Amino acid sequence: MSDNITLPEGAGTLLATDEILGVHVLRAKVQTGADGTAVDVSQDDPMPVGLVEPLPAGGNTVGAVHVKPATAGGLSVYRFLGLNSSGRSVKSSAGQVFGWHLANTGASGVFVKFYDTAEAPVVGSTTTFATLYVPAGQVVSAEHTNGIAFSSGIGMGATTGLAELDATAPAASTVIVNVFYK
């Protein structure tokens, strides 16, 4: 089978296709050339490109790519067994949370609350930044590659109620938290 097919609407009008395994596939290839000409971009005829403006000299960071394991410079881990309505300070200055692993060994669901504060939050009074529900007997895990920014600090607490002002503590030693932060 040959490439291209004739359109029924007009005599001699062609639709550019590429025959692949006996099927005409609409030809949508990148082409270059002066007006009225076209050359398919290929390994033999690459797309012509030019640098419009060079990067300025100096300490410019184009991107941070870490492809090999390192023993330094990674995330810190905040681990606490028995998180409750007594607020806990994870970090007392601005930071980012990159993930968590939260477990609830209790018989009732709990709400793990994050706070953007430099001190330990007063659960039920300090404004909540984020609330996560952990069902009874379950684990909730998440990874956030770009991190969630906290401008003042990172605080945590756990309650049995969703309400902002709730300060009801879950059963003792039932909420296990591991937070990965920087």
Side-chain angles (χ1 to χ4, degrees), residues 78 80 83-91 97 100-102 112-117 119-123 132 150 154-158 175-179:
Y78 174 79
F80 193 79
L83 186 67
N84 57 32
S85 61
S86 296
R88 306 290 302 183
S89 178
V90 175
K91 185 176 183 192
V97 170
W100 51 77
H101 183 87
L102 312 171
V112 173
K113 299 178 179 183
F114 282 90
Y115 300 88
D116 189 353
T117 179
E119 309 85 36
V122 177
V123 176
L132 306 171
F150 288 73
I154 305 167
M156 294 185 76
V175 181
I176 303 162
V177 301
N178 289 282
V179 175

Side-chain angles (χ1 to χ4, degrees), residues 113-117 126-131 148-151 153 155 164:
K113 299 178 179 183
F114 282 90
Y115 300 88
D116 189 353
T117 179
T126 304
T127 302
T128 306
F129 181 82
T131 303
I148 301 169
F150 288 73
S151 60
E164 180 79 20

Side-chain angles (χ1 to χ4, degrees), residues 55-56 58-65:
L55 291 173
N60 296 301
T61 301
V62 175
V65 178

